[in-house]
Amino acid sequence: QSALTQPASVSGSPGQSITISCTGTSSDVGNYNLVSWYQHYPGKAPTLIIYDVTKRPSGVSNRFSGSKSGNTASLTISGLQAEDEADYYCCSYAGDYTWVFGGGTKVTVL
Amino acid sequence: QVQLVQSGAEVKEPGASVKVFCKASGYTFTNYVIHWVRQAPGQSLEWMGWFNVGNGNIKYSQRFKGRVTITTDTSASTAYMDLSSLRSEDTAVYYCATEESYYYHFWGQGTLVTVSS
């Protein structure tokens, strides 16, 4: 499968909201409500911040929220903070017991 | 708490094989499927395959089929990822992760594999 499409970079000022898109196809994002999002600091392991499109694991800030429309899922970070500066990856179940990741988005806090 | 501890960095020559291990603790090893994901320098995360520790089922990404083998040793609560016929493009950090209903809840710390002559 091809990687899901994410913008290479998104930036915002502290306190602002930003949205990262994740575009797939009708075979993955569009066909399953099984999109997850991961925050990844360089040199560290990724951490889960959203699963099943909209759900937040216990302990994850409610500033992170997810949504989906058609073949595109989105991650919104509200009240942007310096600590949110990281890489973000979406991931979708793609059927036939396979998974596909997005290309990743670098978030910069100005 | 759940922990996945991976083996240390490796340097391999082109054409060689590498075996990375992922030792699990803090949960019943057979309860989760173990996936392997890699990240080449400057690249995105890439799904490689999974092993269902509970029933022994396996699935590999077509991109690695024939070169990757995922196994487990349930007595040691350890999963292994073996990648053969290494080439420079396989230089990457390799992660193991537990799958909990189609998402990755826990991750290992990553293992850097460098392929260089």
Side-chain angles (χ1 to χ4, degrees):
Chain A
Q1 351 32 9
S2 299
L4 307 176
T5 300
Q6 297 182 233
S9 63
V10 173
S11 61
S13 300
Q16 284 187 328
S17 292
I18 61 169
T19 297
I20 302 169
S21 60
C22 168
T23 301
T25 70
S26 56
S27 297
D28 38 62
V29 175
N31 200 32
Y32 305 97
N33 288 324
L34 297 172
V35 175
S36 51
W37 289 88
Y38 302 87
Q39 180 185 59
H40 191 199
Y41 295 108
K44 303 286 189 184
T47 56
L48 176 71
I49 53 174
I50 294 287
Y51 67 99
D52 293 355
V53 178
T54 62
K55 298 176 182 174
R56 256 189 329 271
S58 155
V60 172
S61 171
N62 59 8
R63 297 185 299 105
F64 294 94
S65 62
S67 62
K68 191 185 90 166
S69 177
N71 296 339
T72 298
S74 298
L75 172 72
T76 298
I77 309 174
S78 58
L80 199 61
Q81 298 180 0
E83 69 206 46
D84 299 331
E85 191 160 291
D87 297 323
Y88 292 82
Y89 292 91
C90 60
C91 180
S92 177
Y93 179 66
D96 194 27
Y97 305 104
T98 65
W99 276 256
V100 62
F101 281 93
T105 298
K106 182 177 181 60
V107 168
T108 302
V109 181
L110 301 171
Chain B
Q1 74 280 22
V2 174
Q3 272 197 306
L4 300 176
V5 177
Q6 297 184 221
S7 45
E10 302 259 16
V11 178
K12 295 290 183 181
E13 292 194 344
S17 296
V18 68
K19 192 166 189 171
V20 179
F21 77 72
C22 167
K23 183 165 176 57
S25 61
Y27 71 98
T28 301
F29 188 56
T30 51
N31 280 1
Y32 293 134
V33 176
I34 296 275
H35 289 239
W36 288 88
V37 175
R38 78 176 188 180
Q39 184 176 39
Q43 303 296 312
S44 65
L45 299 172
E46 182 174 23
W47 176 74
M48 298 181 70
W50 55 259
F51 189 105
N52 186 323
V53 187
N55 62 21
N57 289 343
I58 309 171
K59 180 82 174 188
Y60 300 125
S61 165
Q62 285 292 336
R63 209 165 112 68
F64 300 98
K65 210 163 184 179
R67 289 207 301 139
V68 67
T69 304
I70 301 173
T71 56
T72 62
D73 178 349
T74 53
S75 67
S77 297
T78 300
Y80 303 89
M81 188 282 300
D82 198 314
L83 188 63
S84 62
S85 302
L86 290 169
R87 33 212 190 226
S88 58
E89 309 90 87
D90 293 318
T91 293
V93 176
Y94 290 78
Y95 295 98
C96 61
T98 57
E99 180 216 323
E100 183 168 349
S101 255
Y102 302 95
Y103 57 88
Y104 306 119
H105 206 168
F106 300 105
W107 295 70
Q109 84 276 19
T111 296
L112 174 62
V113 174
T114 303
V115 182
S116 173
S117 53

